[in-house]
Amino acid sequence: MELDEAVRDTNVQMCYSCGKCTLACPLTHDDHIYSPRRIVETILAHGEEGISPAEMWECLTCNACSTYCPSDVKFPAFVREIRGELVKDGSYGECSHAGILHSLMRLMAGGQVKQKRLEWLDDSLETSPRSNVLLFVGCAPYYDAVLSEHGSHTETTKSAVKLLNSIGIKPRLLKDEVCCGHDMLWTGETETFEDLERINTERINKSKVKKIIFTCPECYDTFKENYKDLREDIELHHLAQFLGDRIDDLEFKENGKKVTFQDSCRLGRFQGIYEPPRDLLLAVPGLELVEMEDNRKKSVCCGTSCWMNCDQESKRIQVERLEEASTIADMMITACPKCLIHYRCAMDGQSKLDTDVKDLFVMLAESLEP
Amino acid sequence: MKAPFEPKILAFCCNWCAYSGADLAGTSRLQYPPNVKIVRVMCSGRVDPGHILRAFETGVDGILVAGCHPGDCHYISGNERAEERIETAKAVAEIIGIGEDRIRLEWISASEGLRFAEVIEDFIKEIRVKGPSPAGGDA
Ligand code: SF4
Ligand code: SF4
Ligand code: SF4
């Protein structure tokens, strides 16, 4: 195993055991201790023998630990590297939903299937095959099919097109786009990730696209940090940031709701985009924005990542967060499809949670002046 | 010369009805093509869309899920659950480009050995016309 390399690349050897990471970790609470500090120490002391695969799969890769680390230990990246080695040895995490989403990602990586991923488009949405602004759709069409009980996820994509149309942009959509590969990368299926990266890169590079806009923070982060061969003149934007820069061109109607914003880990701690979604919400007349105690870089993860290891800890994290949101606001807004799905899932059967979870772009599109 | 296409079919059969039906087909010495591999599950409702997609991933060309007739489910409503789950699997198979008609749900009782053989034969015929699954794989 390339342990030494992973240790070096991610600064793990710089750990001085302060324990700030463990305090920040959402998996740690009264009766459950998940300790990145101990994990790091054990591996430094015992090498490969010190690796516990179960612990490696349990991490949410939410980056709360690294945000507080005074020594710049990149724990999530370390976990990702080790997972890559574990997968080679045949160890894998527990997949949620019988692994259907992982299967879909591998099928797209095979490059042979002809997807029907744009069936949700309707006549009210203006797109253009010649536009140099690409809207990257991501896995929303699949979420609609697999997770229909947690709402419509192409609703977000539709809203994104509507919002772009309202500022005069008719985006282009790719009918043969494949999954960005985020989950394959973070579950250690490096080869599958590289196949997906290659397919998307080839298809986008040969088009005349100049800008790519993402609604999903994971796609955005993956393109930005992990796609190596994308044409250099292509700009990447998350839609919240893109619209945040064009706020004066957007006209919203009155909305008297009281909302709170859930920062997702990829958009927030990974990419540092905290203010644009809030600026957009505040641009809606009458809308009141209140903050949960842990907001911005202190935000709490949605409890499960990469469709794996969803367990009672996930549910505890989700329910605690929703309880907090419901005591201060009518609605929790998020700009990440995964936060939306996992929180909605946790709401099922929790009648005491008197709140709603909504996507930022759906909320904004509904508030557009007709 | 390339060998002619022989569809690979995976059949999930519930323990109480369809699997017994398949058993009866066997004990009655009914003939059906050898292209099918049977996985016995306790209930058709146990078959998750994830299992179906995983099977396609490994190179299966068609999937049959077979359970008890409506009203006859050993677990009362497991087969109703199966219906919902197959609907999801079909919707996903459409988007990914495998096609919903490579997935079939059938009700086969323990006494319907003949029907089991006929369903298999018919499904294989249909998949033979459609050709190999676009998902590839080499199961
Ligand atoms: S990435 Fe998140 S879940 Fe993993 S150790 Fe760090 S804080 Fe804990
Ligand atoms: S916060 Fe950083 S230095 Fe402190 S124990 Fe955790 S990894 Fe080590
Ligand atoms: S929280 Fe998310 S991963 Fe867990 S069961 Fe619900 S939808 Fe699935």
Side-chain angles (χ1 to χ4, degrees), chain A residues 97-336:
Chain A
H97 307 279
I100 189 167
L101 293 145
H102 302 90
S103 282
L104 288 166
M105 293 166 202
R106 291 188 210 102
L107 285 167
M108 284 185 252
Q112 289 160 299
V113 288
K114 281 204 174 48
Q115 304 173 72
K116 294 187 191 160
R117 50 160 45 246
L118 298 179
E119 305 278 296
W120 50 271
L121 269 175
D122 64 45
D123 295 345
S124 69
L125 305 167
E126 295 186 282
T127 61
S128 157
R130 278 173 304 280
S131 172
N132 57 17
V133 180
L134 175 74
L135 178 67
F136 194 83
V137 171
C139 290
Y142 293 106
Y143 296 159
D144 269 14
V146 178
L147 298 145
S148 53
E149 69 269 39
H150 306 316
S152 162
H153 309 288
T154 51
E155 200 54 42
T156 303
T157 332
K158 284 186 199 169
S159 301
V161 179
K162 242 181 248 170
L163 287 159
L164 288 170
N165 287 169
S166 81
I167 55 169
I169 297 174
K170 293 181 194 166
R172 170 182 183 152
L173 302 171
L174 284 182
K175 60 179 187 306
D176 54 1
E177 174 191 310
V178 294
C179 163
C180 71
H182 173 277
D183 293 353
M184 290 287 108
L185 180 70
W186 287 90
T187 48
E189 285 197 53
T190 321
E191 283 174 24
T192 314
F193 166 71
E194 284 165 358
D195 288 338
L196 292 164
E197 179 199 1
R198 181 180 40 75
I199 296 172
N200 276 329
T201 303
E202 279 172 12
R203 290 176 186 171
I204 294 170
N205 279 356
K206 72 166 200 267
S207 73
K208 293 202 166 50
V209 164
K210 289 272 164 50
K211 276 191 182 89
I212 311 179
I213 295 178
F214 302 87
T215 54
C216 173
E218 295 188 343
C219 300
Y220 175 61
D221 183 69
T222 307
F223 266 70
K224 227 171 150 194
E225 309 299 330
N226 308 104
Y227 273 42
K228 297 175 294 291
D229 301 318
L230 212 60
R231 237 194 307 120
E232 273 175 16
D233 59 332
I234 298 181
E235 291 172 28
L236 306 173
H237 301 271
H238 186 267
L239 183 61
Q241 174 202 41
F242 187 78
L243 293 176
D245 289 342
R246 302 276 304 259
I247 227 159
D248 296 337
D249 302 334
L250 290 157
E251 259 179 76
F252 296 117
K253 58 182 179 228
E254 190 78 23
N255 183 330
K257 284 253 155 46
K258 194 171 173 188
V259 304
T260 185
F261 186 72
Q262 155 73 8
D263 295 272
S264 65
C265 43
R266 265 54 180 171
L267 196 62
R269 281 186 293 269
F270 279 69
Q271 292 297 335
I273 300 180
Y274 296 113
E275 300 315 318
R278 292 179 166 82
D279 295 344
L280 286 163
L281 287 169
L282 290 170
V284 177
L287 198 90
E288 193 184 342
L289 176 65
V290 287
E291 295 289 351
M292 289 181 275
E293 195 178 321
D294 293 328
N295 61 66
R296 296 181 172 82
K297 75 173 190 183
K298 284 168 73 190
S299 176
V300 182
C301 170
C302 66
T304 176
S305 83
C306 299
W307 306 109
M308 60 165 42
N309 291 60
C310 179
D311 58 12
Q312 59 183 18
E313 288 305 316
S314 314
K315 283 287 162 275
R316 175 190 59 76
I317 293 172
Q318 290 155 359
V319 170
E320 281 176 8
R321 190 74 169 157
L322 285 164
E323 276 170 353
E324 185 183 356
S326 68
T327 53
I328 59 168
D330 309 325
M331 196 184 280
M332 182 202 251
I333 305 283
T334 170
C336 175

Side-chain angles (χ1 to χ4, degrees), chain A residues 10-71:
Chain A
T10 59
N11 274 346
V12 158
Q13 84 277 20
M14 305 301 282
C15 169
Y16 57 75
S17 302
C18 68
K20 279 182 189 285
C21 49
T22 303
L23 271 175
C25 177
L27 289 170
T28 293
H29 65 108
D30 303 350
D31 26 84
H32 184 89
I33 304 294
Y34 186 79
S35 171
R37 177 193 58 76
R38 184 177 35 71
I39 294 171
V40 161
E41 281 176 357
T42 314
I43 292 175
L44 286 176
H46 302 284
E48 262 179 62
E49 310 237 301
I51 296 176
S52 146
E55 285 185 335
M56 286 295 138
W57 292 116
E58 193 180 348
C59 172
L60 302 163
T61 75
C62 73
N63 214 24
C65 49
S66 297
T67 303
Y68 291 96
C69 177
S71 216

Side-chain angles (χ1 to χ4, degrees), chain B residues 19-96:
Chain B
Y19 192 82
S20 306
D23 229 12
L24 182 63
T27 47
S28 328
R29 296 176 179 266
L30 292 169
Q31 297 280 335
Y32 61 88
N35 311 41
V36 52
K37 288 200 174 81
I38 297 180
V39 176
R40 173 161 61 159
V41 287
M42 287 312 282
C43 177
S44 56
R46 173 66 184 93
V47 183
D48 192 287
H51 302 144
I52 295 179
L53 266 288
R54 177 79 185 133
F56 281 124
E57 203 194 309
T58 58
V60 161
D61 300 301
I63 290 166
L64 172 74
V65 177
C68 312
H69 284 271
D72 283 350
C73 175
H74 187 79
Y75 305 105
I76 300 164
S77 58
N79 51 3
E80 290 168 21
R81 184 84 183 100
E83 258 184 317
E84 288 166 20
R85 293 186 133 184
I86 294 297
E87 223 165 272
T88 301
K90 285 187 167 193
V92 175
E94 268 304 287
I95 307 174
I96 192 74

